[in-house]
DNA sequence: AGCACGCCGACT
DNA sequence: GTCGGCGTGCTC
């Protein structure tokens, strides 16, 4: 157990966007159980909020302190040693410390006061009598129906809601009071039943059911109520009188929810290849020092086995391990293999888990029951005490970057955390990021390689098809070229599966008015709508707004819409026409929206009940499809022309990844990539599956324009509902930055510019880009800028800081 | 963030 | 005259 608080005061970080911590007094009754890493309920202003104990304090400082109201944990959620890490993260990402900790912890652990309106007796009478103004009756009815309504949810419904409520309060029809909103994730307890040591003297009537229960309990020794219910469904009612008469002992105990089914028995590791053994050895010799390693291994070269050896080795030495994997729907192949190897010694943090299940995985770690964790980006915050190794699989993957809230990059944080724990960190990939390659060149990382595939599979053969040849062709040839068509046919004739990739969903992606020529745009966003035939409407992919499929042009009022442009849904229907005997399935965000649909599509692929599978990048990651021998890429350059310095890298990674889906089984694979730019270095490098070729071509561009990894970059995203106010605020922010840009080496401030997508969900968007070779200077000036009251006080415009942005769009 | 305070326009 | 709008500032 960690050291308890021994002082009269504690330092607390509250979950609010404030850049400071607060000092509270701690009553003796709470102090005996309190320690850093626990949550407390504290008064702040005139409400109660959740805070995290950071440290003990001998003095209150210059403030008049308030007392902690309650201790919300009986065991710390994170070790005291992690606080330094959280502070580092908060500083680096320029994000409030309390919010940083909240983002790091499992969700649903926040309690706070929420203002709620309750209908008074007078209000109920008034509602029944009628005669109230329409809107007042509406709000009152809502509050009555829900037995109290929070002010926040009301003003979300209707911006005028708060004003109406105040009127009602004045008339004494509602009462507004603070209600403590409890955490939504909790610890699960279960009842366990056993026989008492001595048979009770008190006799009760013994029915058949009661006898049965007693005999089951006698046999089991101790049994949970849940398993007892499986034998006797009415057990909960039956045990009560038995327990009261002393015939049974019933205790409530905390349990961990097990989301992954029955625990697996650990399997035995296979023999390592010579190459694998060398890599493992190299990293093991650096076991007790911070040593970042880039492990480049072609698909199928056995990286996962190397990871598992390193993790097992760290555990043997009494230390823990963190394994990061890309975020995908369902559990990935890598996660499954780790679980098979380490059984119940490993915690799994995955987006498919419920809040409570995630909390339990976290608690298992913080209680020291397990000291290995595998999971997507949030697992980098897992409360492992003495980390012996950190693994980042597919380190180039974009899902390591969180694109909302605390915009961290888990891959970068892995390196930081490894440094704090003096341990190796292994970044593995077949196609490493430009950033990591650069770190090898600059000798920040050392590089290890796995060049041979374990079972001697051959790498897929990749051919390019120039789509320019078929521009204006008849029928479907311009989209599914004859080369790709022939490829699919021969793949199907051999009884294999084909995967067709297009990173754009929907049926028609470019609806245009036949009479005035205007595109059909979203009324809330600055993008065109997409026709979804299955759902029979036009949909905006940014805000979700829909328009009926039979709509006339809203601009001229009469024109019919011509549905140009194509997405996965259209490719699916074209393939069904071209190959009427083939079974075609589609996997994208639309086809996997329903619960269980992802699983059912994956099962179809695995059981070979589909022949052609069309999909978006969802198909590119994490799942193994052994029967796929052909991968067709409809348009390799879709993401190439985006106005973003990482467009090439993203395209290269995506193409390399999809290509890797071909030939995972016995038969060699084939990849056909259709492109308008067959001579572009990105496409060529993807065809050659050569990350170094890509790196060598991309590096000069980045260097010339001072883009990462040759500089640090921070992007400010300024948005608001009012176009003029947003623009003015963006200009103000840029002015402040210019004023703060005094230290050498100076930063380069670009903008403000209007974002490429000028409006999303009725919010106008502006951007400022800051580049600087000095990490310290760029961080200092941006922190100072956001702390400026002139910037902070304007609440109708939001300023979001994206440190090391992945995409600038 | 949320909540109160305070200062100005358009209503009784 | 006040009711209620929002801009400003503070929370240990
Ligand atoms: Zn028109
Ligand atoms: Zn929209």
């Amino acid at each position: 157990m960690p050291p308890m608080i021994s002082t009269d005061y504690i330092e607390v970080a509250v979950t609010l966007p404030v850049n400071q911590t607060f000092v509270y007094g701690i009553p003796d009754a709470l102090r005996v159980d309190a320690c850093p890493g626990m949550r407390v309920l504290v008064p702040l202003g005139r409400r109660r909020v959740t805070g995290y104990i950071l440290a003990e304090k001998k003095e209150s400082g210059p403030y008049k302190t308030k007392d902690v109201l309650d201790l919300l944990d009986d065991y710390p959620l994170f070790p005291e040693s992690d606080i330094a890490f959280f502070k580092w993260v908060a500083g680096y990402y320029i994000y409030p410390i309390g919010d940083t900790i909240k983002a790091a912890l499992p969700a649903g652990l926040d309690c706070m006061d929420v203002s709620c309106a309750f209908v008074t007796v007078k209000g109920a009478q008034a509602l029944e009598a009628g005669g109230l103004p329409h809107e007042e009756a509406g709000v009152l009815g809502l509050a009555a129906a829900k037995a109290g309504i929070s002010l926040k949810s009301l003003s979300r419904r209707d911006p005028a809601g708060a004003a109406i409520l105040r009127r009602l309060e004045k008339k004494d029809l509602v009462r507004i009071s603070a209600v403590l909103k409890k955490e939504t994730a909790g610890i699960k307890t279960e009842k366990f039943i056993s026989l008492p040591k001595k048979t009770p003297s008190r006799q009760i009537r013994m029915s058949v059911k009661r006898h049965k229960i007693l005999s089951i309990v006698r046999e089991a020794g101790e049994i949970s109520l849940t398993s007892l219910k499986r034998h006797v469904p009415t057990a909960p009612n039956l045990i009560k009188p038995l327990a009261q008469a002393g015939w049974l002992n019933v205790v409530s105990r905390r349990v961990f929810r097990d989301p992954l089914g029955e625990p697996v028995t650990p399997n035995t590791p296979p023999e390592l290849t010579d190459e694998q053994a060398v890599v493992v050895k190299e990293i093991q010799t650096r076991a007790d020092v911070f040593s970042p390693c880039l492990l480049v291994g072609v698909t199928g070269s056995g990286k996962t086995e190397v990871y598992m050896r390193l993790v097992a080795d760290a555990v043997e030495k009494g230390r823990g391990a963190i394994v990061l994997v890309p975020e995908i729907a369902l559990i990935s192949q890598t996660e499954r293999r780790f679980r098979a190897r380490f059984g119940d010694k490993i915690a799994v943090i995955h987006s498919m888990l419920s809040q409570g299940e995630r909390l339990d995985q976290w608690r298992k770690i913080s209680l020291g029951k397990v000291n290995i964790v595998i999971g997507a980006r949030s697992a980098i915050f897992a409360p492992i005490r003495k980390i012996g190794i950190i693994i980042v699989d597919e380190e180039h993957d974009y899902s390591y970057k969180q694109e909302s809230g605390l915009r961290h990059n888990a891959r970068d944080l892995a390196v930081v955390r490894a440094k704090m724990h003096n341990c190796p960190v292994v970044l593995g990939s077949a196609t490493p990021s430009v950033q990591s390659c650069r770190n090898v060149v600059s000798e920040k990382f050392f590089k290890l390689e796995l060049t041979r595939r374990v079972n001697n599979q051959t790498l897929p053969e990749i051919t390019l098809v120039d789509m320019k040849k078929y521009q204006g062709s008849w029928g479907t040839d311009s989209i599914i070229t004859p080369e790709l068509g022939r490829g699919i046919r021969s793949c199907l004739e051999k009884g294999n599966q084909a995967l067709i990739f297009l990173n754009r969903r929907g049926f028609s992606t470019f609806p245009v008015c036949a009479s005035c020529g205007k595109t059909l745009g979203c009324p809330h966003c600055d993008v065109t709508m997409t026709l979804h035939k299955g759902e029979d409407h036009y949909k905006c992919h940014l805000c979700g707004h829909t328009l009926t499929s039979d709509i006339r042009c809203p601009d001229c009022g009469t024109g019919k819409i011509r549905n140009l442009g194509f997405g996965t849904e259209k490719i699916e229907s074209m393939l069904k026409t071209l190959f009427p005997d083939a079974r075609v399935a589609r996997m994208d965000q639309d086809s996997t929206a329903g619960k269980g649909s992802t699983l059912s599509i994956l099962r179809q692929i695995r059981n070979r009940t589909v022949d052609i599978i069309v999909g978006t990048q969802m198909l590119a990651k994490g799942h193994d499809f052994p029967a796929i021998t052909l991968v067709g890429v409809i348009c390799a350059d879709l993401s190439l022309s985006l106005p973003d310095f990482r467009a090439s890298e993203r395209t290269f990674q995506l193409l390399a990844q999809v290509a890797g889906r071909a030939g995972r089984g016995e038969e060699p694979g084939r990849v056909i990539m259709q492109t308008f730019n067959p001579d572009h270095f990105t496409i060529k490098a993807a065809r050659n599956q050569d990350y170094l070729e890509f790196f060598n071509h991309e590096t000069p561009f980045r260097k010339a324009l001072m883009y990462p990894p040759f500089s640090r970059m921070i992007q400010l995203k300024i948005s608001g509902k009012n176009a003029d106010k947003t623009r003015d605020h963006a200009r103000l922010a840029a002015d402040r930055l210019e004023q703060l840009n005094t230290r050498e080496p100076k930063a380069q401030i670009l903008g403000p510019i209007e974002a490429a997508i000028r409006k999303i969900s009725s919010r106008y968007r502006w951007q400022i880009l800051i580049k600087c070779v000095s990490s310290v200077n760029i961080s200092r000036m941006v922190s100072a800028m956001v702390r400026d009251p002139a910037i902070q006080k304007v609440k109708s415009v939001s300023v979001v800081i994206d440190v090391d942005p992945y995409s600038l769009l």
Side-chain angles (χ1 to χ4, degrees):
Chain A
M1 200 65 189
M4 299 297 176
I5 301 290
S6 58
T7 55
D8 290 338
Y9 302 97
I10 54 172
E11 184 188 13
V12 173
V14 293
T15 55
L16 284 185
V18 288
N19 268 309
Q20 75 210 259
T21 54
F22 297 103
V23 177
Y24 286 91
I26 181 135
D28 292 343
L30 298 177
R31 177 174 39 226
V32 292
D33 296 317
C35 74
M38 287 180 180
R39 290 171 303 144
V40 281
L41 187 68
V42 292
L44 188 83
R46 49 191 66 220
R47 66 215 172 99
R48 295 170 293 176
V49 295
T50 305
Y52 309 101
I53 305 178
L54 296 188
E56 47 178 46
K57 281 251 169 194
K58 286 201 180 68
E59 321 250 329
S60 66
Y63 322 98
K64 50 175 191 330
T65 60
K66 292 180 182 173
D67 273 359
V68 169
L69 298 170
D70 200 3
L71 192 60
L72 300 175
D73 292 301
D74 54 17
Y75 203 87
L77 286 165
F78 49 87
E80 193 171 2
S81 54
D82 276 355
I83 293 170
F85 178 56
F86 293 145
K87 284 184 175 165
W88 189 93
V89 172
Y92 187 82
Y93 290 106
I94 313 177
Y95 203 66
I97 179 68
D99 281 344
T100 299
I101 296 174
K102 184 180 168 184
L105 299 179
L109 292 176
D110 232 30
C111 339
M112 59 174 150
D113 271 333
V114 175
S115 289
C116 285
F118 299 94
V119 181
T120 58
V121 179
K122 198 175 159 192
Q125 288 163 351
L127 193 61
E128 205 161 315
L132 283 169
H134 185 71
E135 74 234 7
E136 287 185 17
V139 169
L140 199 59
L142 216 59
K146 291 185 142 188
I149 185 166
S150 79
L151 258 61
K152 208 177 166 184
S153 69
L154 188 67
S155 31
R156 225 182 301 130
R157 245 166 219 274
D158 173 12
I164 299 166
L165 212 54
R166 244 171 289 144
R167 238 176 290 152
L168 289 169
E169 191 191 15
K170 203 149 267 172
K171 287 198 256 175
D172 209 21
L173 302 179
V174 298
R175 181 176 46 81
I176 296 173
S177 58
V179 173
L180 190 67
K181 183 186 72 82
K182 295 274 278 174
E183 50 262 80
T184 51
I187 296 171
K188 189 183 175 186
T189 58
E190 210 174 319
K191 288 199 171 90
F192 287 87
I193 296 130
S194 57
L195 292 182
K197 284 202 182 70
K198 50 178 197 266
T199 331
S201 46
R202 202 173 130 208
Q203 289 298 315
I204 53 166
R205 243 188 62 223
M206 276 297 154
S207 64
V208 181
K209 283 271 174 73
R210 285 180 178 181
H211 261 300
K212 190 174 176 191
I213 287 202
L214 285 176
S215 70
I216 291 168
V217 174
R218 189 173 303 119
E219 199 162 317
E222 184 181 76
I223 189 166
S224 73
L225 183 55
T226 318
S227 18
L228 190 60
K229 262 201 296 207
R230 249 172 269 152
H231 299 283
V232 186
T234 53
N237 293 325
L238 289 162
I239 60 162
K240 218 180 265 170
L242 285 168
Q244 269 163 13
W247 283 82
L248 286 176
N249 275 342
V250 180
V251 287
S252 246
R253 260 213 298 278
R254 293 179 168 192
V255 293
F256 296 111
R257 279 153 282 217
D258 182 13
L260 303 153
E262 296 302 307
V264 277
T265 36
N267 66 12
T268 43
E271 191 102 352
L272 291 181
T273 66
D274 293 347
E275 221 179 25
Q276 286 174 322
V278 169
V279 168
V280 170
K281 189 96 188 297
E282 280 290 329
I283 296 165
Q284 277 174 347
T285 56
R286 298 163 165 90
D288 291 315
V289 280
F290 168 61
S291 26
C293 163
L294 178 65
L295 174 59
V296 184
V298 295
T299 355
S301 62
K303 288 192 293 288
T304 309
E305 188 55 42
V306 169
Y307 301 153
M308 292 194 291
R309 289 304 171 95
L310 293 169
V311 168
D313 189 56
V315 172
E316 240 165 69
K317 289 176 181 146
R319 301 177 78 171
I322 296 179
V323 182
L324 300 182
V325 291
E327 176 85 302
I328 58 162
L330 301 178
I331 197 153
S332 72
Q333 198 66 26
T334 311
E335 285 168 291
R336 208 171 284 132
R337 289 181 64 189
F338 263 87
R339 240 178 80 74
R341 177 69 53 84
F342 295 101
D344 56 7
K345 299 271 181 292
I346 188 165
V348 179
I349 296 180
H350 196 278
S351 61
M352 291 294 287
L353 305 188
S354 71
Q355 271 191 356
E357 289 165 346
R358 276 164 166 254
L359 174 64
D360 283 358
Q361 297 295 317
W362 184 277
R363 286 183 60 243
K364 273 189 184 177
I365 303 165
S366 65
L367 289 165
K369 305 257 185 230
V370 301
N371 61 349
I372 314 170
V373 62
I374 186 167
R377 58 176 178 267
S378 65
I380 195 56
F381 296 112
I384 307 264
R385 270 148 213 278
K386 278 165 64 190
I387 301 171
I389 191 152
I390 302 179
I391 310 274
V392 185
D393 189 27
E394 311 289 355
E395 66 87 23
H396 61 273
D397 197 275
Y398 58 87
S399 76
Y400 288 122
K401 178 70 162 66
Q402 169 107 46
E403 293 291 8
S404 64
L406 172 62
R407 295 174 162 257
H408 68 284
N409 186 318
R411 182 245 286 153
D412 299 344
L413 289 184
V415 177
V416 173
R417 207 159 178 214
K419 191 168 189 179
M420 289 183 166
H421 284 254
N422 280 314
C423 74
V425 50
V426 179
L427 310 185
S429 174
T431 52
S433 62
V434 170
Q435 177 96 46
S436 295
C437 288
R438 175 68 204 164
N439 281 332
V440 170
V441 173
S442 63
E443 296 182 347
K444 282 185 189 150
F445 292 2
F446 71 100
K447 179 167 144 185
L448 294 169
E449 276 180 288
L450 292 169
T451 55
R452 285 187 290 278
R453 300 185 105 180
V454 171
N455 43 10
N456 291 315
Q457 291 164 318
T458 51
L459 284 165
E461 171 211 330
I462 304 176
T463 45
L464 298 179
V465 177
D466 190 347
M467 285 177 100
K468 290 200 290 279
K469 282 198 296 192
Y470 300 100
Q471 263 179 310
S473 286
W474 247 83
T476 56
D477 278 10
S478 64
I479 298 172
I480 297 169
T481 62
E483 283 94 330
L484 180 57
R486 282 197 295 275
I488 297 172
R489 183 151 292 123
S490 85
C491 168
L492 295 179
E493 275 162 9
K494 285 185 214 141
N496 293 322
Q497 287 175 314
L499 186 158
I500 306 300
F501 174 81
L502 175 66
N503 207 12
R504 193 163 62 186
R505 63 204 174 89
F507 190 86
S508 155
T509 54
F510 200 68
V512 181
C513 171
S515 92
C516 76
K518 287 238 169 71
T519 55
L520 180 66
C522 173
H524 311 296
C525 310
D526 184 34
V527 290
T528 53
M529 306 282 281
T530 300
L531 176 65
H532 287 256
K533 269 235 169 124
E535 297 158 51
D536 195 29
H537 56 213
Y538 290 96
K539 191 153 98 188
C540 169
H541 285 179
L542 294 178
C543 73
H545 183 78
T546 57
L547 298 171
T548 57
S549 57
D550 56 3
I551 195 170
R552 295 278 161 155
C553 170
D555 259 294
C556 64
T558 54
K560 266 191 92 167
I561 306 289
R562 294 184 58 206
N563 294 312
L564 307 179
F566 54 89
T568 44
E569 207 184 358
K570 184 157 189 174
I571 300 293
E572 181 191 16
S573 83
M574 287 168 87
L575 287 166
K576 279 179 174 161
T577 316
L578 283 170
F579 305 98
D581 297 329
R583 296 161 296 178
V584 184
R586 176 163 56 91
M587 183 165 156
D588 54 29
Q589 277 161 83
D590 305 305
S591 73
T592 57
K595 194 172 158 65
S597 49
T598 310
L599 195 65
S600 102
I601 295 172
L602 290 175
R603 201 171 283 143
Q604 282 177 46
I605 304 173
R606 186 133 324 154
N607 297 344
R608 305 178 75 153
T609 55
V610 293
D611 305 306
I612 306 176
I613 169 97
V614 187
T616 55
Q617 40 186 307
M618 251 184 183
L619 279 173
K621 285 203 283 177
H623 313 287
D624 257 356
F625 306 125
I628 288 176
T629 57
L630 175 77
V631 167
V633 179
I634 296 291
C635 191
D637 16 42
L638 263 193
S639 54
L640 204 52
S641 55
L642 295 173
D644 186 324
F645 78 99
R646 243 189 271 267
S648 287
E649 184 173 357
R650 266 210 306 268
T651 305
F652 171 75
Q653 298 291 4
L654 194 56
L655 292 176
Q657 193 112 44
V658 202
R661 298 289 105 188
R664 286 297 188 90
E666 307 273 290
E667 279 197 57
R670 198 173 162 218
V671 181
I672 299 171
M673 275 183 202
Q674 305 185 146
T675 172
F676 286 103
N677 305 291
D679 296 322
H680 195 288
F681 73 87
T682 305
I683 305 291
K684 279 180 164 169
R687 200 245 342 258
N688 298 338
Q689 294 276 290
D690 190 341
Y691 73 93
L692 274 177
E693 180 184 335
F694 176 76
F695 175 73
N696 290 330
H697 275 92
E698 175 72 0
T699 301
F701 286 107
R702 302 271 184 104
K703 196 167 186 170
L705 294 166
M706 282 311 280
Y707 277 127
F710 297 96
S711 72
R712 282 286 317 284
M713 185 188 266
I714 294 179
Q715 189 196 41
L716 301 180
K717 301 172 196 286
I718 299 119
S719 68
K721 296 240 177 201
N722 181 306
D724 293 341
K725 272 191 187 171
T726 309
R727 183 203 54 220
D728 293 347
H729 201 62
R731 287 188 181 150
L732 180 70
D735 287 346
R736 284 288 189 276
L737 283 170
E738 292 288 1
Q739 288 163 15
L740 291 160
N741 190 13
T742 50
R743 294 211 180 182
E744 295 292 340
K746 283 192 182 168
Q748 206 181 329
I749 300 163
L750 303 162
I753 54 157
E754 217 170 359
I757 302 169
R758 279 152 42 214
K759 189 173 75 168
I760 295 181
S761 298
S762 304
R763 293 182 74 88
Y764 294 87
R765 307 168 72 236
W766 286 75
Q767 299 166 341
I768 298 170
L769 195 63
I770 307 138
K771 291 186 285 182
C772 185
V773 287
S774 161
S775 202
V776 177
N777 288 5
I778 192 171
S779 186
R780 269 177 46 102
M781 62 188 276
V782 176
S783 313
M785 189 275 296
V786 287
R787 267 174 244 264
D788 187 328
I791 300 294
Q792 268 188 344
K793 72 184 179 193
V794 179
K795 288 194 174 168
S796 60
V797 180
S798 87
V799 179
V800 169
I801 302 166
D802 195 353
V803 176
D804 306 332
Y806 185 77
S807 157
L808 301 181
L809 294 177

